[in-house]
Amino acid sequence: DLAVVALPQHQQVVALDARDGKISWRYTVEARVDSPPTLYGDLCVFGCSNGWVYCLNSKDGELRWRYRAAPGVRRIVRNARLESPWPVSGSVLVTDDTVLARAARTTQWDGGITLVGLDVLSGKEKSRQRVAAGKAHWNTHLLRRAGNSGLLGNYCFDLKTGKPAAAPEEPVLHTIFHSAHDGRWRRF
């Protein structure tokens, strides 16, 4: 009965009652949440540009757990705000009771990308894998599932370990494109 949205400029995740549109709860974090959270059962899970993954109760917005996916604690200034050099996209992938998130901007900066797998109920780390710099250059994409594998751009990985896996045989839809009108990357 909720619609949960991200308000990037306000650094918030907000739950709206689906019947009347009134705010049920709001949760403020220390940096931008760039895309909608993932709802999973009674949980609301999302990444933040501060490098953390958060899990809230979807009924009341109370924090269940949080986990630092970024490989270190550093800050940079982006759009006049402090962020981690390893931001986590707001839209994380939850599959088989595991939260999959990526922390980074690109394969070429700050040591590459960190992929993490977390237990959805406790936030305990199940896997952590670096996709190091030196691989083909690509900006970070949203995580998605293809059969028994996970995909991050053209990087295919095992859903349990984060380690490289064989590419799926079925065609893959890419999740990012460049918007010509303002020069920014948009995710859908």
Side-chain angles (χ1 to χ4, degrees):
D1 295 328
L2 292 176
V4 185
V5 298
L7 300 177
Q9 298 308 319
H10 298 284
Q11 301 175 196
Q12 292 179 340
V13 170
V14 178
L16 306 169
D17 186 297
R19 294 175 297 264
D20 60 17
K22 291 184 180 174
I23 294 176
S24 296
W25 54 261
R26 67 176 67 228
Y27 191 85
T28 303
V29 290
E30 63 184 39
R32 288 179 325 104
V33 179
D34 70 356
S35 51
T38 301
L39 296 177
Y40 184 78
D42 64 346
L43 303 175
C44 173
V45 189
F46 62 94
C48 181
S49 62
N50 65 0
W52 288 76
V53 178
Y54 293 81
C55 180
L56 311 176
N57 288 322
S58 62
K59 301 288 184 217
D60 58 15
E62 292 295 315
L63 181 68
R64 292 274 297 258
W65 55 260
R66 72 181 193 143
Y67 173 88
R68 191 185 82 214
V73 180
R74 285 184 21 213
R75 295 289 178 255
I76 61 172
V77 176
R78 181 172 183 265
N79 296 328
R81 296 178 188 257
L82 288 176
E83 294 188 356
S84 171
W86 307 281
V88 179
S89 173
S91 299
V92 298
L93 175 64
V94 181
T95 182
D96 300 328
D97 295 326
T98 300
V99 176
L100 296 165
R102 62 98 184 117
R105 295 183 189 282
T106 174
T107 55
Q108 297 297 303
W109 301 339
D110 300 306
I113 296 172
T114 300
L115 292 174
V116 295
L118 310 170
D119 179 79
V120 73
L121 296 177
S122 68
K124 300 247 187 257
E125 183 179 294
K126 290 180 164 184
S127 65
R128 187 174 190 92
Q129 180 71 27
R130 294 293 298 267
V131 180
K135 301 280 183 189
H137 176 73
W138 38 271
N139 293 327
T140 56
H141 295 247
L142 296 178
L143 292 165
R144 58 208 188 278
R145 183 176 180 148
N148 293 324
S149 298
L151 293 171
L152 177 62
N154 58 1
Y155 178 73
C156 187
F157 61 94
D158 181 274
L159 289 168
K160 294 187 186 323
T161 66
K163 294 185 179 189
E169 293 184 16
E170 66 269 11
V172 176
L173 175 67
H174 288 279
T175 60
I176 193 166
F177 74 92
H178 190 68
S179 174
H181 77 279
D182 67 1
R184 296 181 185 203
W185 289 97
R186 302 287 184 205
R187 294 187 178 113
F188 293 95

